[in-house]
Amino acid sequence: MENYTQPSTDFVLLGLFPPSRAGLILFTLTFPVFLMALAGNLCMVLLILLDAHLHTPMYLLLSQLSLMDLIYVCTTVPKMVSGFLSGNKSISFIGCGFQSFLFLIIAGSEGLILMSMAYDRYVAVCSPLHYPIRMSRRACVLMILASWATGAVNSSVHTVYILRIPYCRSRAIDHFFCDVSAMLTLACTDSSSHEYIMFLSAILFLLLPFVVIVLSYGKVLLAVYHMSSQEGRKKAYATCSTHLTVVTFYYAPFAYTYLRPKALRSPAEDKVLAVVYTILTPMLNPVIYSLRNKEVLGALGRVRGRICCKKI
């Protein structure tokens, strides 16, 4: 690891890529993925906003997922890119806290949004007659607000802690963004108690929602299996497989990073896993939901038609 020391209160992000030809090649491979994630999620948010046919609970929740993925890539990647291209890897103390705050909000809220999406599919398939009541617009908005608020409270706790603890002379964070776990290794005080709190947060925002999602889709798949309509069964399977794919891409790297013992973690491995949930997964989510969803493709055609008519 490069030996950076900061006499000021600034931190130094060691980044994702080494300052070499190999690092440049890796950067040129990663940057297009970032642009695709940025464009795909922005298009998904705007599409759901502009097309009235998509103003349903399922797609309102999907718009929040895309918005969160959009914030993910905008929070972590631009600073990493500018640091690699300019060579200036420093980030201010407040800037680091703000970046960490935004990242933690999304990390906590996205798991709850995915849980809400699983509940939406459970009600739609297992209790279709009660769907208008249990998944009304008001209920959907409350789910969204609760996800953001809970994520913000969790983020505030961790951010306030890392901004108040004393740091040693070396302020080099072995990551490409201000990750709380990487910052705790630089603390001059014993941070084991907060590491325990972080582990509890991971259980609350990762493990518990994942259990709810698995139980929801277990009941959904059981109900789909007993469907008499072949067409309905096919549509339900397609919808469930789409959601389960997104859930797997989100939870697998997060759980492996934050639920395994500290002794088994390494900075290099953590950075690779962070690429998956901050860049790769946000890029894949819009592709998965658009290419495998006829309603989204139909909305894309309608919005494109309206834009073309206005130009003419």
Side-chain angles (χ1 to χ4, degrees):
M1 187 177 78
E2 296 171 72
N3 184 27
Y4 284 95
T5 57
Q6 284 292 103
S8 67
T9 58
D10 288 357
F11 289 98
V12 172
L13 295 172
L14 297 186
L16 181 62
F17 310 112
S20 61
R21 186 176 179 183
L24 182 59
I25 294 173
L26 291 172
F27 172 80
T28 56
L29 293 174
T30 305
F31 190 66
V33 177
F34 159 67
L35 294 178
M36 290 173 64
L38 192 67
N41 285 289
L42 182 60
C43 287
M44 188 65 77
V45 170
L46 292 176
L47 184 65
I48 294 171
L49 180 67
L50 295 174
D51 191 87
H53 294 83
L54 299 183
H55 292 175
T56 62
M58 174 182 172
Y59 291 104
L60 287 175
L61 292 170
L62 178 57
S63 70
Q64 294 302 301
L65 181 67
S66 294
L67 177 61
M68 289 174 180
D69 284 341
L70 192 62
I71 297 174
Y72 248 146
V73 295
C74 291
T75 299
T76 58
V77 180
K79 180 60 184 175
M80 181 264 288
V81 170
S82 66
F84 179 78
L85 294 178
S86 67
N88 179 16
K89 298 183 178 183
S90 65
I91 182 171
S92 68
F93 185 76
I94 297 300
C96 194
F98 184 66
Q99 188 186 58
S100 178
F101 179 73
L102 286 178
F103 172 80
L104 289 170
I105 283 183
I106 305 304
S109 302
E110 188 161 330
L112 299 178
I113 285 292
L114 288 171
M115 183 177 69
S116 300
M117 293 173 73
Y119 176 74
D120 173 79
R121 292 301 85 204
Y122 164 73
V123 176
V125 175
C126 300
S127 303
L129 297 179
H130 296 99
Y131 186 82
I133 299 173
R134 294 169 66 177
M135 282 304 297
S136 62
R137 181 178 290 271
R138 181 175 179 274
C140 183
V141 171
L142 287 175
M143 286 181 180
I144 292 171
L145 292 177
S147 298
W148 281 101
T150 308
V153 171
N154 176 67
S155 177
S156 298
V157 170
H158 296 301
T159 304
V160 168
Y161 181 82
I162 63 170
L163 290 178
R164 295 188 60 166
I165 60 174
Y167 290 94
C168 298
R169 189 162 179 261
S170 174
R171 288 175 173 255
I173 303 173
D174 196 2
H175 218 297
F176 61 91
F177 66 93
C178 293
D179 178 64
V180 174
S181 297
M183 294 176 71
L184 289 179
T185 61
L186 306 178
C188 292
T189 58
D190 180 23
S191 60
S192 57
S193 59
H194 193 76
E195 288 172 2
Y196 180 70
I197 294 174
M198 286 189 62
F199 182 75
L200 292 179
S201 294
I203 292 176
L204 178 64
F205 288 95
L206 291 174
L207 196 57
L208 292 183
F210 181 74
V211 170
V212 173
I213 290 170
V214 169
L215 291 175
S216 298
Y217 280 118
K219 292 187 175 182
V220 167
L221 293 174
L222 188 63
V224 169
Y225 178 76
H226 290 100
M227 279 184 178
S228 56
S229 170
Q230 186 70 25
E231 185 64 28
R233 186 186 301 176
K234 184 179 179 181
K235 184 178 179 181
Y237 273 132
T239 303
C240 289
S241 63
T242 298
H243 286 286
L244 287 172
T245 302
V246 171
V247 166
T248 302
F249 276 117
Y250 174 79
Y251 279 103
F254 256 123
Y256 186 73
T257 300
Y258 293 103
L259 290 178
R260 60 185 167 145
K262 182 182 178 181
L264 299 178
R265 296 179 60 176
S266 69
E269 197 172 40
D270 284 354
K271 285 192 282 188
V272 172
L273 290 168
V275 171
V276 176
Y277 56 73
T278 60
I279 305 176
L280 186 60
T281 301
M283 184 272 291
L284 290 175
N285 284 351
V287 176
I288 292 170
Y289 278 107
S290 60
L291 294 181
R292 302 188 62 182
N293 193 307
K294 291 181 180 179
E295 292 181 17
V296 172
L297 292 174
L300 183 61
R302 289 190 294 270
V303 171
R304 186 169 55 190
R306 291 207 304 267
I307 293 174
C308 291
C309 288
K310 287 182 180 180
K311 286 184 178 180
I312 294 173

